Amino acid sequence: MEHYRETAARNLARARQIIREAEIEDAWRSIGAEVRQVGSVRTGLLAKHRDIDFHIYTDRLDLAQSFAAMARFAAHPEVTHIEFRNGIDTEERCIEWHAGWRDTDGAEWQIDMIHILRGSRYDGWFERVADRIAARLTDEERDAVLRIKCAVPDGVHAAGIEICRAVLEAGVRDYTGFEAWKRTHPDGDTLEWMP
């Protein structure tokens, strides 16, 4: 088994443990929210960058309720920091929460919880994108995505969805190819992409 497969399997298993330990879903359900996994954990393509992503839906966006759910999450001693962005009045109709989690081995995890107004523009969008990526990838393409993700240098940001798009649309198979593809696809170009 290639090292990138081992890294992905190990990090995916640990991500699922952290989700349980952090009681993320319980915290949000305590305010009546629907919690949906998105991103690399949902697709099974979690690699070197340790991130866990959720979209959380309620019928209205109430700051006090959102803060109450996050207060439950923040009570865990492993939470190192929390960032907040109020996007209630934006096109995204959301409240963004970005948190850090220090694992038992000292590794830092990023946990993003985006609280979204049910029925708004992005309700379910990224869940469908993730499901379509997971369903469409061949074994060769899955390996390419994981290999590229593991090759991204520390400190360099490369969105997983961009890597998936490069692999699926352009046949990119390595990090050098991804860098070349990225030069012709500006940031934000992938937000509306659906495979």
Side-chain angles (χ1 to χ4, degrees):
M1 183 181 285
E2 301 280 346
H3 75 87
Y4 57 85
R5 290 183 188 172
E6 293 171 353
T7 298
R10 182 177 58 252
N11 285 341
L12 187 58
R14 184 60 187 138
R16 291 181 174 137
Q17 290 173 334
I18 289 170
I19 290 166
R20 287 189 299 274
E21 291 169 16
E23 302 173 295
I24 294 169
E25 295 179 33
D26 292 341
W28 287 101
R29 288 185 182 127
S30 74
I31 65 161
E34 179 184 358
V35 183
R36 301 181 199 160
Q37 187 79 60
V38 294
S40 298
V41 174
R42 187 175 181 117
T43 62
L45 296 169
L46 183 62
K48 184 173 81 170
H49 179 64
R50 295 174 180 93
D51 66 325
I52 298 169
D53 302 294
F54 286 97
H55 283 183
I56 295 117
Y57 297 91
T58 53
D59 291 328
R60 63 187 186 92
L61 293 178
D62 182 298
L63 283 173
Q65 284 191 330
S66 200
F67 270 89
M70 286 304 293
R72 281 186 62 164
F73 168 75
H76 293 277
E78 297 86 357
V79 175
T80 59
H81 66 277
I82 296 175
E83 298 172 18
F84 158 80
R85 186 180 83 78
N86 184 341
I88 291 174
D89 294 327
T90 67
E91 146 178 68
E92 288 87 9
R93 301 296 302 239
C94 69
I95 302 167
E96 292 185 30
W97 296 100
H98 306 283
W101 178 278
R102 182 167 295 118
D103 207 350
T104 53
D105 64 358
E108 289 287 330
W109 286 77
Q110 176 181 324
I111 303 176
D112 295 328
M113 294 162 275
I114 313 302
H115 183 181
I116 301 171
L117 180 67
R118 187 176 282 121
S120 62
R121 178 177 181 184
Y122 291 108
D123 183 345
W125 174 262
F126 293 99
E127 293 89 323
R128 288 190 299 278
V129 169
D131 290 345
R132 287 177 63 156
I133 288 170
R136 182 169 165 198
L137 284 174
T138 64
D139 289 342
E140 178 191 353
E141 290 166 334
R142 180 175 301 282
D143 281 350
V145 169
L146 293 174
R147 189 169 42 251
I148 294 167
K149 283 184 162 196
C150 285
V152 174
D154 292 341
V156 173
H157 174 71
I161 193 167
E162 291 178 318
I163 294 170
C164 289
R165 183 177 181 188
V167 167
L168 288 170
E169 282 190 352
V172 171
R173 293 296 183 262
D174 58 30
Y175 184 68
T176 302
F178 174 70
E179 286 181 307
W181 178 88
K182 181 78 171 123
R183 284 191 289 276
T184 62
H185 293 79
D187 288 342
D189 185 37
T190 303
L191 183 62
E192 302 295 328
W193 176 71
M194 175 80 74

